[in-house]
Amino acid sequence: MRILRWAAVAVIAFVQLAMVGYFGLWAYRVRMHPVHEYGYLIHEFDPWFNFRAAQFLAKNGWSKFAKWYDYMSWYPIGRPIGTTTYPGMQFASVWIWQAMKYVPKTVYNVPKEVLAYFPKGWARYLPGHGKLSFAPMSLNDVCVLTPAWFGAVATFFLVLLTIETSESSSAGVAAGLVMAIIPAHLMRSNAGGYDNESVAVTCFCATFWLWCRSVRTPKSWLWGVPAGVAYFTAAATWGGYIFVNNLIGLHAAALVALGKYNSGLYRAYTLWYLVGTLGAMQVPVIGYAPLK
C-alpha cells in the first residue's frame, strides 16, 4: 500500500509540475501576440523612452548613464536621467543582451521518436512547436521580449508564493493559471510594452515569496538575505517598491500582534531590511529616502 501511495503522489506531482510548466509557456505565448501581429516593435510612449535609455546604458555604461542629462526629454528644459529613472529594467535587458552574445546559433528539432510518444497534434503545444532555436539577439529584440519573459517568470513566482502561504500545491497550480492570464498583469507585460511594471511585478512576487519563506520556521531566517536582494531589484525597477516595503512591515507587525513573534522573525526582518534598504539606497533616484 505504501508503494501505491508513493506512486500516486509521484504521478500527481508530475501532473502538477506539467500543468505549471504549461501555464508558464502559455503566459509567454499569449504575451507574444503583439509580436505575431506587428513584429518586434516597441509600442507606447514610455516604452520608447525606456528603450532609448537601455540603448544609452548599453553604449556608455553606468557611470555616464548616472550623469546623463537628456535634452531630448521634457524639451526644452531637459531631464537628468540618472537621478530620475529606476534603471533596473534597463540593466536586466542589457545584461541579457550581453549574455546572449555568447549563445551560438543553434537549431534543435525534437526527435520524431520522442514526438511519437505524444498524442497526434501535441507538438504544437511544445515550445517552438518542437523546434528550438537559439542565437544572439539585437538589443531591440531583447527589450521587446523582456516583458513577456518576465511575465512568464512572475507566474512561477506566484505559484511558489501561493504554495508557501497555503501549503497546498493544488492552490499553487490554480494561482499559476490565474497569473498567466489575469488582465491586470497581462496588460502591463505584453511583448513590446517595455515599461517598468513588466519587470517590477516579477520582482515583487519574488520578494513576497522569499519573505514568506524566511518566516516559515524560526530556523528559516537566512532566507531574509535573498528576500532583501529581491526587494533591492524591485526598488531599482519601479517606484511602487514602497508597497512591498509597507506590506512586509505590516505582515511582520501582524505576526507580532497575533503572538507569533520569535527570534527567527526578528532575524529575518532585520536581514531583509538591512540588505534591502542598503541596496535600495544605491539607486540614485531613491538615495537616502528610506531613512527619512
Side-chain angles (χ1 to χ4, degrees), residues 114-202:
V114 175
L115 294 177
Y117 288 99
F118 291 89
K120 186 177 180 180
W122 272 46
R124 67 178 184 272
Y125 296 107
L126 298 176
H129 304 293
K131 181 178 181 180
L132 306 178
S133 58
F134 306 93
M137 300 176 67
S138 67
L139 182 59
N140 175 83
D141 291 356
V142 170
C143 291
V144 167
L145 295 178
T146 292
W149 288 335
F150 278 85
V153 174
T155 300
F156 293 119
F157 275 126
L158 193 74
V159 169
L160 294 173
L161 173 61
T162 305
I163 293 175
E164 184 65 37
T165 54
S166 68
E167 299 183 350
S168 169
S169 57
S170 298
V173 173
L177 171 61
V178 173
M179 190 63 172
I181 61 175
I182 190 170
H185 184 223
L186 185 60
M187 66 185 294
R188 305 308 301 169
S189 55
N190 274 314
Y194 188 59
D195 213 347
N196 299 72
E197 297 93 328
S198 61
V199 175
V201 171
T202 305

Side-chain angles (χ1 to χ4, degrees), residues 85-128:
T85 301
Y86 293 89
M89 181 176 64
Q90 283 83 2
F91 268 102
S93 301
V94 170
W95 287 340
I96 293 172
W97 170 67
Q98 291 175 336
M100 293 192 73
K101 290 181 179 180
Y102 301 98
V103 176
K105 189 174 183 179
T106 307
V107 177
Y108 175 77
N109 291 300
V110 178
K112 293 182 179 180
E113 294 79 7
V114 175
L115 294 177
Y117 288 99
F118 291 89
K120 186 177 180 180
W122 272 46
R124 67 178 184 272
Y125 296 107
L126 298 176

Side-chain angles (χ1 to χ4, degrees), residues 208 211 243-256 269 272:
F208 289 138
W211 163 251
F243 295 115
V244 178
N245 192 11
N246 292 341
L247 282 173
I248 290 181
L250 181 62
H251 182 238
L255 290 176
V256 173
Y269 187 84
W272 168 79

